Amino acid sequence: MNTPFDEDPPPPPKKPGRFAGLRASFLTGIVVIAPVVLTIWLIWTLVGWVDGFVLPFVPDIYQPEYLINRFVLGNTRPDDAEWVHFNIRGVGVIVFLVFTLLVGWVAKGLIGRSLIRYGESLVDRMPVVRSIYSGVKQIAETVFAQSERSFEKACLIQYPRKGIWAVGFISTQAKGEVADKAQISEDMLSVFVPTTPNPTSGFLLFFPRSDVIELDMTIEDAAKLVISAGLVYPGQNGKAITPDSEG
């Protein structure tokens, strides 16, 4: 029997309505479908852009439309009534890859290197073109020619001051004038400290080796941690730890 001083029992929890369940299912479907659709759309758009840029340089008699009509369907002229017009995506990408491989193979040889040096000597005599060419060449060499080199390990460093920790990526051991003029008794490491949520921008910092704590997580897991602003942590079994999955 309840007395006047007894508190009212808490109301029973409300069951989620049918609309709430449909909304949750819809959002889950969006999360699954959106990355797939965007990836396909980006690839399709990129391939179409490359085709539109490369195919105009291919002679008409070597275009896929001409070859198929001429040798498969037996049509001889584009003005024939039976001439089939179509567009095959990806042919320009194949042409571009084959052409790039041939240029790279020639450039590695003695004749190719001589032609490149001669061409660059001509470019150096053109004031405006020289600046554009040197800038584009530096970017291309940094992005592509050094693609075989990557960060060594993920690490923890105290930045921007003592007591504040940041995730960084160890590039290499500091060398040359930077290492000589630092005037410290131990080796220095060059560490790239990325920004969130865009890890392609950041700061290049040099730390004594003793101030750098190497992490066991992979470079990919550390990048996910930075991009997610600390919401996704690498798990011990290869699974990410999110706030919802904690205990």
Side-chain angles (χ1 to χ4, degrees):
M1 180 176 179
N2 294 337
T3 65
F5 301 100
D6 292 338
E7 296 182 357
D8 295 333
K14 296 182 180 180
K15 295 182 179 180
R18 182 176 301 177
F19 178 77
L22 293 176
R23 178 176 176 274
S25 299
F26 176 78
L27 293 178
T28 303
I30 290 294
V31 171
V32 174
I33 294 175
V36 178
V37 173
L38 288 177
T39 301
I40 295 175
W41 178 78
L42 288 174
I43 294 175
W44 184 262
T45 303
L46 178 62
V47 170
W49 180 82
V50 174
D51 286 351
F53 179 79
V54 174
L55 288 180
F57 294 97
V58 179
D60 292 339
I61 59 175
Y62 298 112
Q63 293 282 350
E65 180 178 313
Y66 180 88
L67 294 176
I68 294 177
N69 278 277
R70 180 69 176 84
F71 297 103
V72 178
L73 303 179
N75 301 323
T76 57
R77 295 181 302 175
D79 55 355
D80 290 342
E82 298 180 355
W83 188 273
V84 179
H85 296 278
F86 55 85
N87 180 22
I88 302 178
R89 291 222 173 194
V91 176
V93 176
I94 297 175
V95 173
F96 174 75
L97 292 176
V98 173
F99 177 75
T100 305
L101 288 174
L102 290 176
V103 171
W105 177 72
V106 173
K108 288 183 177 180
L110 179 61
I111 298 177
R113 290 197 297 268
S114 301
L115 291 175
I116 292 175
R117 284 195 296 267
Y118 176 73
E120 290 182 343
S121 65
L122 294 178
V123 172
D124 287 338
R125 301 172 187 173
M126 307 176 186
V128 178
V129 178
R130 175 180 57 195
S131 302
I132 298 175
Y133 175 79
S134 61
V136 174
K137 182 180 179 182
Q138 274 191 332
I139 294 174
E141 289 179 347
T142 302
V143 174
F144 296 106
Q146 302 297 328
S147 60
E148 68 274 4
R149 303 192 63 179
S150 59
F151 295 117
E152 295 180 356
K153 288 191 67 94
C155 66
L156 271 180
I157 47 96
Q158 296 193 67
Y159 178 82
R161 64 171 177 80
K162 293 286 187 180
I164 297 180
W165 296 88
V167 174
F169 301 99
I170 300 175
S171 302
T172 57
Q173 180 177 330
K175 302 175 183 177
E177 187 177 5
V178 174
D180 295 337
K181 294 191 175 182
Q183 297 181 353
I184 61 174
S185 59
E186 58 179 315
D187 296 336
M188 285 201 312
L189 297 178
S190 55
V191 178
F192 175 72
V193 181
T195 57
T196 300
N198 179 19
T200 58
S201 64
F203 306 94
L204 174 62
L205 306 174
F206 298 94
F207 289 90
R209 186 180 293 272
S210 59
D211 291 345
V212 178
I213 301 176
E214 296 185 0
L215 299 175
D216 294 331
M217 68 177 68
T218 62
I219 299 294
E220 292 77 11
D221 287 339
K224 292 177 184 178
L225 177 62
V226 173
I227 294 172
S228 67
L231 296 177
V232 177
Y233 281 79
Q236 297 180 350
N237 297 324
K239 296 183 179 180
I241 300 176
T242 62
D244 294 337
S245 62
E246 293 180 354

